[in-house]
């Protein structure tokens, strides 16, 4: 089954009265009222970190949440202790990367441009090391090989992600 979550962010100024009605066919409703945006972001990060599925898309989403958590820790001056979780997820993503440099939805799935661009956007946010640099380079090569075989929308997505690690690959390809 698929779990569907929807939500609204509302800014409530001073005294606010709301009449909320929900469709009972959709099940339980959770309402959160928080004093600041950081609490909301942290709750959403915690949700992603504990999401139970481990397809490559979810691994990248969890990794993105952990990276965001590190940024929140820096902002709030707290010590962040999620390096072990980041390492665990990056190791899985490295292991799931196909020989051609791309990723599919699952470990043995065929590579897809969509999944590879999604994962690459997250990996380039990490501090580089030898394994990460090789993985990113392989993914970039895979995506470059797809440029003239892709429609315009995918070409733009590929060029966009190739600019993320500041190596100007996309700019060089456009010359």
């Amino acid at each position: 089954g698929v779990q569907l979550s929807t939500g609204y962010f509302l800014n409530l100024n001073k005294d606010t009265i709301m009449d909320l009605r929900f469709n009972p066919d959709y099940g339980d409703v959770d309402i959160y009222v928080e004093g600041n945006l950081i609490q909301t972001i942290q709750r959403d990060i915690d949700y992603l970190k504990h999401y139970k599925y481990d397809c490559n898309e979810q691994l990248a989403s969890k990794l993105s949440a952990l990276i965001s958590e590190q940024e929140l820790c820096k902002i709030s001056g707290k010590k962040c202790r999620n390096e072990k979780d980041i390492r665990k997820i990056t190791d899985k993503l490295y292991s799931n990367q196909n020989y051609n440099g791309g990723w599919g939805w699952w470990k043995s799935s065929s590579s897809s441009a969509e999944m590879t661009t999604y994962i690459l956007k997250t990996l380039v946010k990490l501090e580089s090391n030898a394994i990460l640099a090789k993985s990113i380079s392989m993914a970039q090569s895979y995506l470059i090989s797809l440029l003239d075989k892709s429609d315009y929308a995918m070409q733009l997505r590929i060029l966009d992600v190739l600019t993320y690690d500041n190596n100007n690959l996309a700019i060089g390809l456009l010359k």
Side-chain angles (χ1 to χ4, degrees):
V2 175
Q3 179 181 349
L4 174 65
S5 294
T6 60
Y8 300 96
F9 290 98
L10 303 170
N11 185 19
L12 306 178
N13 296 315
K14 299 184 182 181
D15 293 335
T16 303
I17 297 173
M18 300 177 74
D19 181 17
L20 303 173
R21 297 166 198 247
F22 305 99
N23 185 336
D25 295 337
Y26 292 146
D28 295 339
V29 173
D30 295 319
I31 298 175
Y32 300 93
V33 178
E34 293 163 324
N36 66 47
L37 185 57
I38 291 178
Q39 290 173 338
T40 303
I41 293 169
Q42 185 61 57
R43 184 177 37 78
D44 290 344
I45 287 170
D46 289 341
Y47 172 79
L48 277 175
K49 284 177 12 182
H50 298 100
Y51 195 70
K52 62 184 175 180
Y53 301 105
D54 276 347
C55 66
N56 288 327
E57 178 194 27
Q58 289 306 319
L59 290 171
S61 295
K62 288 177 191 181
L63 182 58
S64 184
L66 291 167
I67 293 167
S68 295
E69 184 175 52
Q70 286 185 329
E71 292 299 317
L72 280 180
C73 288
K74 285 179 192 174
I75 290 168
S76 63
K78 295 180 182 175
K79 177 121 174 100
C80 201
R81 295 184 172 90
N82 66 9
E83 288 296 326
K84 186 177 178 182
D85 294 329
I86 287 175
R87 182 65 172 172
K88 183 179 172 184
I89 291 172
T90 55
D91 286 348
K92 280 185 183 180
L93 286 171
Y94 300 152
S95 172
N96 293 353
Q97 189 171 20
N98 293 323
Y99 72 93
N100 66 1
W103 283 274
W105 283 89
W106 298 97
K107 180 177 176 112
S108 300
S109 299
S110 298
S111 295
S112 78
E114 293 84 0
M115 191 55 54
T116 303
T117 55
Y118 186 75
I119 293 168
L120 190 55
K121 281 183 181 183
T122 302
L123 289 179
V124 297
K125 296 175 189 175
L126 294 169
E127 288 186 33
S128 189
N129 61 51
I131 297 170
L132 178 61
K134 180 179 179 188
S135 180
I136 288 172
S137 178
M138 288 173 58
Q140 289 170 331
S141 294
Y142 168 72
L143 291 172
I144 290 168
S145 76
L146 298 179
L147 268 173
D148 38 342
K149 301 171 193 151
S150 301
D151 62 29
Y152 290 126
M154 183 50 67
Q155 287 176 350
L156 289 174
R157 286 178 64 185
I158 290 170
L159 290 171
D160 177 54
V161 76
L162 292 176
T163 64
Y164 278 40
D165 71 343
N166 298 318
N167 67 7
N168 297 316
L169 269 176
I171 294 168
L173 291 170
L174 294 174
K175 290 182 179 179

